[in-house]
Structures are given as C-alpha cells and as structure tokens.
Amino acid sequence: MAMRDTVPHLLLVKLSMANDEDEQSFKRMWEDAQRRFEQKTNKSLVQHSPSLDDVLKDLDERFNDGDLDNDKKRQRVQKVKRLASNVLKLIQLLGGIAAQGASVVFGPAAQCFCAFKFLLDIPARISRFHDDLANLFAEISTFLKVFKIYQRIEDFARVDVELKRCAHKLMILIVDICALSINCFSGSTFRKLWSDAKVALFEDDTGVKAKLEEFKTLINHQSQISDAVTLEHVLRSEQEQTGSLKKVFDMLNQTSDATNWKLQEINEELKDVHRDTKIVAKYVAASTDQKERQDQIEQIYKKLSVETNDLNYLEKAFDQIRGDTQDATGSWLDDIEVYKKWADLNAECDHPVLWLSGESGTGKTHLAFTILNSFMKRASSAENNSIRVSSAFYRYDRNEKRPRDDTVKYSLNCIAAQLAKKNTVYMKRLSSHLDSKENPTTRQKSVEDLFKELIAPPKKNDTSDITYVLLFDGMDQLSDDEPRQLANAVCKSSPSRVRILMTGTADTLRFCSGSTERGLDLAPHIHVLDVVEHNLPDIELFVKTELENCKALQGDQEEILWVVAKMREDLPRNARGNFKDAQQIVEQVRDAIESELTKEDILMIIGGKTLKDVQKLIDELNGSLKAHEIDQLNELLIWVIYAYEWLDEKKMEAALFMRTNRKPFVPLRKKVEEKYHSILQIDSDDDGNVKTKNYDFVEFFQKSIRERKVDIEDAENDPKISMTIQIDRVNQSQVQRFFWDLSGKVLLDKFQFTASTSGPEQTAKITANMTEAHLTIVKRCFDLLLNEPIPETAILGRYALRYLPWHLEDLRLEDNKESLQPAEKEDIVDSLVGLLQSVDTIEKHLVEDFLQFEGWLDGRFEVEVVEGWLHDSEATSRLRRKERTWLKQVDSEGWPFALKEIARMIARQWLCFSRFPAPSPFQWIDTWLDRMDQKQVQDAASAPENGGSSEMKSDQDQTKDEVGDKHVMPAKARIARAAAWAEKEAETTKNSLYYERLGHTYLDQDESECAIEAFVKAKAFPNTSLQVSRGLAEAYAVANKKDMAVKEMEVVIASLRSKEPAIDQANDLASSLSHSAMWHKDLGHTLEAIDYLREAIRLDPLSYQRYHQLLKTLLDSNAESEALTVLNEMNIAPAKELGLTKLQAMFLTMAEREPVESFESIFHFTRHRSLFNMILQALERTIASTHESATNSTVIQLRLIYGVALAGYSTQEQKVESALHQWRKGYELGLQSRVGEDWFWARKAASRIFNIHYSKAKSLQSSAEEMESNLTELKNLTEKMQMCSPRDGEVLQRVLATFYRSIGKQEAARQLLLNQMKSGIDLLSDDDPENDWVGFATIAEVLMHTGDDLNASSARFLSFAGQRASYSPGLTCDGRCNKPVSWMDSLWFCKICEDVQLHDECLTKLREGTLTHYVCGPDHDWLYVPSTVEEEKAIGEGNVRMGGELQDGKRLGGKIVAIKDWLDTIRENWGIEKYRANVQIEESKS
C-alpha cells in the first residue's frame, strides 16, 4: 500500500517541477522577445499593458474611415480594421491558453496588444502600407483560425503543456513580426525601401516573410499536438474502466512525454538550421544582384564622366535640405492655380517648367524641396499607387571650378546618374542606350541634344507610369548664355511625363524668357511662381521658430514680451519674403537687447531696411542710369508715390507723354523690368498698376526736401563781373593805344568766347520730394483740362478732374507753401482762374464719376482752393483787371459762385443732352444749389440788421439750415428748383428731350407720378424717341400700375419688332421683353412672362441673367419639367466664355450681381433630385475654371454659394465639412487680396464658418477637444481679418464674442469687445450729435453679442430714433417676404449672423423649417427690437426703457429713465469712467 501511494505522489512532484520549469522557460522566452523588440523599435513592451478594448478603440480612432472622401481608400481602411480586429481577438484567446496558472506574472496577450499598438501608430502617417498591413493581418488571421476551437474550452488548465508552449511561441512570433514591420515602416529600412524599387513588405529582407513561414510551421506543429492530445483523451476515456490500466497508461504517458520533448527539441534545431540556410541563400542571391546593379551603375558613371564625390555631395545636400525644411513650408501651394496645373500628374502637361522666382534668401530652394516631397508623398499614397516618381537635382554654384561651357552638360549627366541609381528600369534603359553609342561622351553635344538623349532614354513604353521630377537649383549662378541654353532645352525637349523645377532671380528669368537664336519665345512655356508674393505664411512660421530659439527673447519681462509681440506682428511683413533678412533682424534685435538700446532703436531695427540702405540704392541708380532715364523715372515716382489712386501702365505712359510731348520708343513695362526693377514693379495681380517695390522708397522720398531755388529778383545774389586795371610806369600814348585796342575788341571782335569743357556739369538726380511732386501733378492737370483732349493723354482726364483740388490742398501745406516760388504760385492761380471762367475744355473731359462724386463741391474746394489760393495776395498779384473783378464777385456771392460756369455747363448736360444718365448731372446741380442756398442763409443770419455778426454766432446759428437739407426738402421740389435755375441760367429749351430727361430724374428719385407727367409731356412732341415710351412704362411700373406699364412697353416692343434686325435693336428688344416679362409675372400672366423671356433669350442667347429670370419664373409657377429641361440644356450648351457651359456662366454672372440669394430657389427645387449633383459639379467646375480670369471677390462668392448649397440643401454625409472647406478657401483667398471688396466677402465666408461652429457648440455635438480646436480657428480667422481690415475684423470679433458666450466664457467675450464699447461711448461724447446714432448702434451690437439683451434692445431703439429724423430705415427683412421695413415695424435681429433681421412671420418659418432659403441656423438666438415710432410715443423724447424681463425674447415691464442715466449704468457695468468733457457738458445742461 505504501509503495502504491508513493508512485502517484512522485509523479505529482515531477509534474509540479516540470510546470515550474515550463513557466521559467516561458518567462525567459518572453524576456528575449522583449529585448529583441526594444532593439529593433526603441520601444518598450513592459511599460504599457493595454487591454483588448484599449487596442480596439485605438484601432477605430486611427482608421476612421468617416474622414475619407475616396471610396477606394475607405474600403482599404475597413479591410485593415476587420482583419486586425480578428487577429486581436484570436490573440486574446491564445493569451488565455498561454497564461493559465496562478504563478504566471506576465501577460502574454497584453504584450502582444502593446506591440500591436505600436504597429498601428505607423499607418496613420504612411497610408502607402495599408495594403501590406491588410496582407499581414490576413496571413496571421488565417493561421490562427485553427485555434477557434478552444473558444469552447472552459478550463485552459486542462490544455496540454505542449499546446501552451506552442501558444507562447506563436505570440512571441507575433511580437517579432510587429517589431520587424515597425522597423520596416518607420526606420532606416523604410528609407532604403523608399529609395530602392518600392519593394513590398513581404518581398524584402526585413525578415517578416521568414517569420511568417516560421509562424506557419508552428501552426502545423500545433495541429499535430492537437491530434496527439485528442488521441490521449480518447485513450483515457477507454482506460477509465479499470484503474490499474489507467496507472500503467500514466507511467507510459510520462515516459512518452519526455521522449516527445527531446524529439521536439531536435526537430526545432533542424528547422532553425533549415531556416538559416534559406536566409543565407536569399542573402547571397540578393548580394549578387546588388553587386551586378552596382557594377552597372558605376559603368554609367564612367560613361557620363560623373564623379562619385559630386554625387555623394548632392545626395548629402538633398537629405540635409529636406531635413532642414519645416513641415508646414509651402502649405499655400495648393491654393495657387499655376502650381496646381503644373503639379497635376494625371494630366498631360504642355509646359512642364515651373520657375520659382525670387532674390537670394527668399526660400526658393527649401520650397523646391517641399514640392519634391509632395510629389513623393502623392506617389506613395494609396489612391496614386499607379503613379511612380523619380526625382533628381543639381545645385549650381558660381564658384564651381569647371570649364565654362561644361557646367550645364555636367549637371545633366549628374541628373541622369541620380535617376539611374534610384530607378532600376531607367538604369537598364540608360545603360543600354549608352552601350549602343560608339563614343558616349557628352561634351561635343549641344545642351538640347543631350537633354533629349538623357531625359528620358528611348523605348520607355514600360515606364509610362513614371514621372521624372528634376530640380535645377540656382539658375542665377550660371554665367553668360548658360541659363538660356538650359531653359531652351527643357522647354523644347521635355516629354509629357517630366516636370522641371527651376529656381532663380527675376532678372535671370527675364533673360531666359527672351527670344532665343532659334526664334522660340520661352515666356509662354514657363510657369512662373513669384515666391515673395506668397511666402508670408512661411516667413511667419520661420520668425516664430527663430524667436522660440533665441534665448535673449525668452522671459516674462514686460519689455521682452513687448519686443516679441512686435516682432511677431511686424517682422514677417518687414522681411518682405526674405528669410535672411528676417534672421538678420532677429540677431540685430538680440544684440540691441543685450546692449540695452531704446524701444525706438529696436522699432527701427524691426522695420527692416533703413533710409540709409535706400539712399545707397538710389546712388547706385544715379550712377548707372542716363539723364533721360532719370528724368523718366522721376515722373513715374511722382505719380506712384503722390497720386491718390494707383495708375496702370496706360495712364503712366500718358503721364510720360505729357512730360516729353512724345511717345517713348521703349515700352514702359520693358523699361521698368530692365532699368527700374530695383525700385518699381508692375503688379500683375492688380490690373497692371505701377508701384514701388516696397514702402521704404515711399518713406525715403516723402522725407526728402525740395532744393531751394534762387529767386531771380534777389539783387544780392545777382551775377556780377568786375575788373581792375592797374597802370604803372607807362607813357600816355601807350595807355591810349591799350584803351583803343580794348574798345575795338568790344565793338568789332565781340570777344569770341568758346564754352569751357573743364568746368563742372549739371547732373540729373533721382528725386521725388513732396512739393515738387504735387506741383508737377497740378501742372499736368491744368495742361489736360485747359486743352483739347488728345488720344495720348485723354485717359488721365478723369484723374485730373477728380483730384486737382486734392493736390492744390497739398500745396497749401506749410512746408510745401514755403518751398514754392512766387512765380509758381502766380502760375497756379492764373491757370485756376482761367479754368473756372472758361469751361469748354472741362466739358470735353467730363466723366460721369465727377458728377456722381459731386466733384469740387466739398469743403476741400471751399477752404483750400477758394479761400486758400484765390485769396492769396502774393499768388493773385499778377491777375488782370477782368480776373480781379471776377474774384470780387466770388467774395460777395460766396465760394460756390466760383463754380457757376461749370454749373451752367452741367445743367445743359442734364436737360439738353443725353451723354450721361440724367440722374448724375442733376445730383451735381442739386448739391451746388444747396451750397449756394446755405451761403445766402448764412449771410442773412450774420447781417447786422438780424442781430448777428461774422465774428460771433450762437450755437443755433451754426447748425445746418433746413434749406440745404436734402432730407427736408421733397425730391420733386428739389428737381423743380434745379430745372427752374437751369431754364434761367443755362437757357435750356423745353422740348421732348427736356421732358424725357426730367422724367428719368423724377423716376430715379422715386417720384413716379411726376415722372409719368413728364414722360406724357415728352410724348406730346412729334417724332419722340422710343426711350420716352420705355421710361413711361417704367414709371407706370414703379407707381404699381403694371397693366399700363405692360401696355406702354408693348408700343416699344412692337416698334422694335418692325425694324430691321440689328445688334443694338436686338439688345433693346431683348431688354424690353425682359422688363415686360417681370410685369406680366407680377400681374399673374405667367405664360406671357415665360414666352417673352424665351424670345429675349433667342435674341440674346448669352444673356445668363435672363436664363436665371426664366428659371425663377418657371419654378415660381410650378413648371418643374420645363425648368428641368432648361437646366439640362444649359449644362450642355457652351457659353461665350472659353471652357464654360451656359449653366456655369450663369453661376459666374449672377455671383457678381446677386450672390447666394440668386440660386437658392434652384437649390431648393433640385435638392432631392439627381440634378442637384449636376448643379454641384457645375459650381465646382466654374470655380476651377475662373480661378485666374475672374476677380477674387467673384471666386469668393462662388465658394460662398457652393458652401450654402452643400450645407443648406445637400444630403451628403460630409456636407458640413465640405461646406466649411469651401468657405475656408474663400476666406483665405480674400485675405490674400488688397481690395476692400474682397475683405468684405472674406468676412462673409468667415461668418458662415462661425455659424457652423456655434451650432455645434450649442447642440453639444462637439467634444471638448474639438471645441477648443474650433475656438482656435475662429480666433485665427478674426486676427487675420483684423490685420487686413480692422473694420471687418470688428464684425468677426463680435461673432467670436458670441461663441465665447456659448461655451461659458462670458468674461472673455466682454474683454474682447471692451474697446468697441469704449469707441461707441466716445462717439456719444464728441461734439457731433449727428453721429450719436452710430455710437448707439455700436453699443447695441456689443451688448447683443455679450448677452445683455435688454440693454441691447434699448441701445438699438436709441440708434433708430437718432436716424428716424433724417433717414429711411435702410433695412430689409432677410426672409425675403418682400414687405417693406418702416420705423413702425418691430424686427428680430440675429445675435449670431452678421446683419440678419426678420419679421415675426419669417422668424416663425425659419424655426419651423418652412423658409425656402438658407438664411442662418434655426437654433440661433434673436434680439427683439420694438417699433421705433410706438416706443417713442410710449416713453417720450430724451428717455429710454431700461430693465424689465424677457418673455419669448420680448421685454415685459421695465422703467423709463433719462438717456444720461441709462448711459451711466452701461459705463458702470463695463468699468468705463466718465470722460471729464462729457461730465462738464452734462453739468452745464443740468
């Protein structure tokens, strides 16, 4: 019994010892695996223990297919996720098998999960390996599926130990595979794979394939163990019938186990040997191939005569520059149309050369390498896996020691050698091509022939998917004709699959672009990208990095923070696109801080180039330019710096003609580009305006002083000649003879002098001082306006008319006035009086905008021209008696009398001629009569008999008199006054044209009944113009007599139909039909309206506005099938604009006239139809095709429209993100411009972005991280807009404050708008009561956007009350209900959107979702403002309602207080102290 009990006990001890040994063995295996993993990846498995859920969550986040807009990419990512998820779950199962037992302290599955997490980090950055990952996971998943059977095993402790060992080994292999894959994807191996032939993951020597083979072997071994274990269980169940047989089986089984373990170890060793043999064989084969390839490359080097050291240098430079280039460099490239066309690898490229133009230090080289990187990344991306890219570059150096004629050819050889090393197919083709040549040397070949021969070799049909990107860096470093030779070669010889990058200065580009000896003008064949025009974001990033790395600029001292802030704000612009200048300024500021210089000194350093630098450049030009060139440059500088608007090439050529009275032989553009380019430029992006290179030149010349001229009347400085004759020891006859000879010389020979060549000569100098400039421009303006217009200079007539008083005012400035000579002042007054007395030539120069802008009727003409120049005793001393009499009359009648002759001329233009639209000359006459009436009233008020004096006037006398107030005198009375004066003074004749012009004037002033009366009188004359009937029809329509309007227009239509068809008559008929169609539609005659519009389109098939009118009419009348037909036809028919369909042209045309609103009926109609996608595609193509031809504002509006279509009407899943993308693009485009209109539309785009983020924040759809990201974007939008346009920036500030408030940052919102609040209160504290309503409006906006609705409503009421006396509301309901807005109406103001207000009914529709167009979000907050008239009646004048409570957005209750008390409350709430001046005013009032 004792011995029987001992046997099982010994077996248990042995089994226990075996289990301990197994666990220690497993532990050692894992420790080895951990070390291997860390060595290969530099990452530790033991510091992280993620669970299965953690890794699955990470998998979802890193492979978020919702962010992908490409179906192919989305399917690829989904495949990776599915396979990886399967593998992870099977690893969890293996972990359960391997980790059973209480003493196992390490988690095999957790370490596998950790390795997987590290692996998953890679594909998020390198999408190229999605396929490899999918294949890897598929392999592992396939092998592991055999373990699924163990999911039914409840107790892993009963699993055989060999099975556990196999599980451990499998999991360790998984960790090894992850390590090798990570090393492949992200380490040096990856770079090698990248540069070699894009070898796939399983075809390289990374070891992954070998490990998968080992993995497969283990799986097969596991199957054998499973079979043995299964047999064991079967035998055990049979042997359970007898205990003795079972014990024997156990002992045999134990012995068998030991034997199996030994055999297994031997088998493993054999497999290791076999595996190692295969690896060695593979390595030997690869080494042989590599050796052969290397030999072939060296042969190519030898045949091309390329030195290995040079190639190594280029390779090192390549890596270094790419490494030094910041990631965000060139982020703006995708917005540049010329780059996008050039960089499109999927399109044929007729002009493959892109020239990066800029001076040294502008970042051309780094930008070029950024472009190379972008090509490589695109080629490696999943959607471009059919495109391959090989790149090479050469860097020219002027100091390179090489034969002069060999540099370009040697660079082409180096380029070819680099391509051969990187591309095996190219290498073989090139080697074969060179072998076929008897003498492969390249020195005797031309550059063009060599380029054709090397790039790319012949017979490359099997490499049609390869694009060669070649960089020639530093073209300006080449000498003589080399740059042109190379440019000519690449432009003429580049295959379609080649892209050429060249960097160099603008001078070198001009040299290369000139006509070559073969007659090819290269300019059209080269895409040019001016780096300095676009690289401001790169400069900003560079400055930010430099400041962060400068130790002297670190710290929290107030002075340091001020310096850093100024540098961040000003330095990027002051650097003017030059990185070297920016870096130098940072270093100079650092030295200035260490030397403790003043703030003023530091500001001068930050300002960039100093006046000393400019003077040096001017001196160089003075030495290099000829006298006539300096004279020409001076004229250009005068107009560029001192003119009040930019002048383009044609206007500048007119100015030069006026200086010399002849046309220059050399075109201005060529002269600027070749001679004056260091100081002037012609802006290609801004209508060809001529400008200075930078503002330094403007500052330099504005600070220059006019050289004082010698006054010819200055007796002390008159030239004198004196002579002293000394007579010593001579007799009288000799003296007489001397004087007789002297007299003879004087009388007869006249002392024949010859000019001396030894004296100093007068040299021309570059100058543009302020006095000389304004005097010159004034002289030019007088020359124009006092003479008949001629073709060469007529283009400047408009400028002369509009800005002559401005320049006369500038000459009255103290410094300028002192610099003028008396004779110059007299000339000015002579010309001025002559111009005002004789206006025949002014009439010939007259333009409409002089009339519209009320030219010469402002205070500038009164104060500076009349009171300044015409009352200058020194300047008027030379006037004749007639002119002096006229001046006395001006004094007695008032300054407007000086313009009486011009007024008579304009009155005749108003009523006797049809040169200008009638309202324009009337507007000028009306304003002039106001000025005359004001002068008479002022004279009467100051007369002694009325108790007044010219020295002392009461405050009441100084206010604006009602006689001159346009808002008091009715329009018809004003027109009657002007007509009566014209009849008396201008001797107008009352004929048909007289009444027609009068009718159009009444019509323009909304006096429709008077207009009807005037047109009827005009029709009473015989042979009246059709314009009379047309005007009468329009007057009937305005008077809401649409039936009579239609009837009268029929007269016009019938007459035009009866005439011979001509272009002008066809246009008139089409216009008449369109007007009549609108009136028919209003009368409910839909069919007639549609017929008329179709006829108008037949007459003018390219009038896209009428197409739009027809579509709206069809949709409003529910003729949906006809509307669909028209839309489909327009989407096919070509437009007059090249490359556009009529549908696209309609989008373009209407975007310039009625943005967004024009198309919403079309969007609303098509939103649930397949046609909607066609509309979106047409919009997208319109934007793409007009990016260069259309104005920035038009492109921005098109993007606004596209975004609205997506956000408001699309059913796409990603519609909001797509809309945001369009609005962001529009915003960035607007900020790149320098035009106020573009900034306005950019602000509109930014407002749309704000709205989206606000809605997300309010609905709590955004996470905290996303909310912070949105806030950062909104702040950036606001800050950038403020830099361009502070006024537009203030609008965005208010919307940003609303966003702050929506996320609970109330105090931040108040701080953001504090300055705006102060500005509003300041307007209430000045001496101008007429702008108080603006101050209240500003306060209302601030209070509304900071959540103080009650006070915002009060401020809005005060603003409206201030306007009501003088203005109409000027507001419309944005619900497009067509209801007029009056001061009687109450309105709702959106607190989120800019300038959006609705009536009650339209707000209800918006909230219910029944409004048919996209105004703003239904979730937005609204401010209610009651009727201004009703509120004034309720509270009385001088009061305002304050407090109360809001119910459904409307105020209930509240107390009535004085405006002053209400303002005190606002000041107190905002912490703004009362201004002393305002306190005194209030105290005096009380």
Side-chain angles (χ1 to χ4, degrees), residues 984-997:
K984 177 183 176 182
E985 296 289 344
E987 301 176 354
T988 55
T989 303
K990 293 184 177 180
N991 52 22
S992 179
L993 179 60
Y994 173 94
Y995 285 110
E996 178 194 333
R997 302 282 288 175

Short mmCIF file of all heavy atoms in Angstrom, two decimals, residues 984-997:
data_model
loop_
_atom_site.label_atom_id
_atom_site.label_comp_id
_atom_site.label_asym_id
_atom_site.label_seq_id
_atom_site.Cartn_x
_atom_site.Cartn_y
_atom_site.Cartn_z
N LYS A 984 -33.31 129.41 -66.34
CA LYS A 984 -32.94 130.83 -66.25
C LYS A 984 -31.47 131.06 -66.59
O LYS A 984 -31.14 131.97 -67.36
CB LYS A 984 -33.22 131.31 -64.83
CG LYS A 984 -32.82 132.76 -64.58
CD LYS A 984 -33.07 133.15 -63.12
CE LYS A 984 -32.57 134.56 -62.85
NZ LYS A 984 -32.75 134.94 -61.42
N GLU A 985 -30.59 130.23 -66.03
CA GLU A 985 -29.16 130.49 -66.14
C GLU A 985 -28.49 129.77 -67.32
O GLU A 985 -27.52 130.27 -67.88
CB GLU A 985 -28.45 130.07 -64.84
CG GLU A 985 -28.87 130.86 -63.63
CD GLU A 985 -28.35 132.29 -63.65
OE1 GLU A 985 -27.42 132.57 -64.44
OE2 GLU A 985 -28.87 133.13 -62.89
N ALA A 986 -28.98 128.59 -67.64
CA ALA A 986 -28.34 127.81 -68.70
C ALA A 986 -29.09 127.86 -70.01
O ALA A 986 -28.68 127.23 -70.99
CB ALA A 986 -28.19 126.35 -68.25
N GLU A 987 -30.24 128.60 -70.03
CA GLU A 987 -31.02 128.80 -71.25
C GLU A 987 -31.41 127.48 -71.91
O GLU A 987 -31.17 127.26 -73.10
CB GLU A 987 -30.24 129.69 -72.24
CG GLU A 987 -29.88 131.05 -71.67
CD GLU A 987 -29.03 131.88 -72.61
OE1 GLU A 987 -28.63 131.31 -73.67
OE2 GLU A 987 -28.76 133.04 -72.31
N THR A 988 -31.97 126.59 -71.11
CA THR A 988 -32.42 125.30 -71.64
C THR A 988 -33.73 125.46 -72.39
O THR A 988 -34.54 126.35 -72.08
CB THR A 988 -32.61 124.30 -70.48
OG1 THR A 988 -33.51 124.87 -69.52
CG2 THR A 988 -31.29 124.01 -69.79
N THR A 989 -33.95 124.59 -73.35
CA THR A 989 -35.16 124.61 -74.18
C THR A 989 -36.06 123.45 -73.82
O THR A 989 -35.60 122.30 -73.72
CB THR A 989 -34.78 124.53 -75.67
OG1 THR A 989 -33.90 125.60 -75.99
CG2 THR A 989 -36.02 124.62 -76.55
N LYS A 990 -37.37 123.75 -73.63
CA LYS A 990 -38.32 122.70 -73.26
C LYS A 990 -38.79 121.96 -74.51
O LYS A 990 -39.74 122.39 -75.18
CB LYS A 990 -39.50 123.29 -72.51
CG LYS A 990 -39.13 123.86 -71.15
CD LYS A 990 -40.35 124.36 -70.40
CE LYS A 990 -40.00 124.87 -69.01
NZ LYS A 990 -41.18 125.36 -68.27
N ASN A 991 -38.16 120.86 -74.81
CA ASN A 991 -38.57 120.01 -75.92
C ASN A 991 -38.77 118.58 -75.40
O ASN A 991 -38.78 118.34 -74.19
CB ASN A 991 -37.54 120.05 -77.05
CG ASN A 991 -36.12 119.76 -76.53
OD1 ASN A 991 -35.97 119.14 -75.47
ND2 ASN A 991 -35.12 120.20 -77.27
N SER A 992 -38.93 117.63 -76.32
CA SER A 992 -39.18 116.24 -75.90
C SER A 992 -38.02 115.70 -75.07
O SER A 992 -38.24 115.03 -74.06
CB SER A 992 -39.39 115.37 -77.14
OG SER A 992 -39.61 114.02 -76.76
N LEU A 993 -36.79 115.99 -75.50
CA LEU A 993 -35.62 115.50 -74.75
C LEU A 993 -35.59 116.11 -73.35
O LEU A 993 -35.26 115.43 -72.38
CB LEU A 993 -34.34 115.83 -75.50
CG LEU A 993 -33.03 115.41 -74.81
CD1 LEU A 993 -32.99 113.90 -74.60
CD2 LEU A 993 -31.82 115.84 -75.63
N TYR A 994 -35.98 117.41 -73.24
CA TYR A 994 -36.00 118.08 -71.94
C TYR A 994 -36.91 117.32 -70.97
O TYR A 994 -36.52 116.98 -69.84
CB TYR A 994 -36.48 119.52 -72.14
CG TYR A 994 -36.72 120.30 -70.86
CD1 TYR A 994 -35.73 121.11 -70.33
CD2 TYR A 994 -37.95 120.25 -70.21
CE1 TYR A 994 -35.94 121.85 -69.17
CE2 TYR A 994 -38.18 120.98 -69.06
CZ TYR A 994 -37.17 121.77 -68.53
OH TYR A 994 -37.40 122.49 -67.38
N TYR A 995 -38.15 117.02 -71.40
CA TYR A 995 -39.10 116.34 -70.51
C TYR A 995 -38.71 114.87 -70.29
O TYR A 995 -38.98 114.31 -69.21
CB TYR A 995 -40.52 116.45 -71.08
CG TYR A 995 -41.11 117.82 -70.91
CD1 TYR A 995 -41.32 118.65 -72.01
CD2 TYR A 995 -41.45 118.30 -69.64
CE1 TYR A 995 -41.85 119.92 -71.87
CE2 TYR A 995 -41.98 119.58 -69.49
CZ TYR A 995 -42.18 120.39 -70.59
OH TYR A 995 -42.69 121.64 -70.43
N GLU A 996 -38.12 114.26 -71.32
CA GLU A 996 -37.63 112.88 -71.12
C GLU A 996 -36.57 112.83 -70.03
O GLU A 996 -36.64 111.98 -69.12
CB GLU A 996 -37.05 112.35 -72.43
CG GLU A 996 -36.47 110.94 -72.31
CD GLU A 996 -35.61 110.55 -73.49
OE1 GLU A 996 -35.82 111.09 -74.60
OE2 GLU A 996 -34.69 109.72 -73.29
N ARG A 997 -35.61 113.75 -70.07
CA ARG A 997 -34.55 113.78 -69.06
C ARG A 997 -35.14 114.11 -67.69
O ARG A 997 -34.72 113.54 -66.67
CB ARG A 997 -33.49 114.83 -69.44
CG ARG A 997 -32.84 114.62 -70.78
CD ARG A 997 -31.80 113.55 -70.75
NE ARG A 997 -30.61 113.99 -70.05
CZ ARG A 997 -29.57 113.21 -69.79
NH1 ARG A 997 -29.59 111.94 -70.18
NH2 ARG A 997 -28.52 113.67 -69.15
#
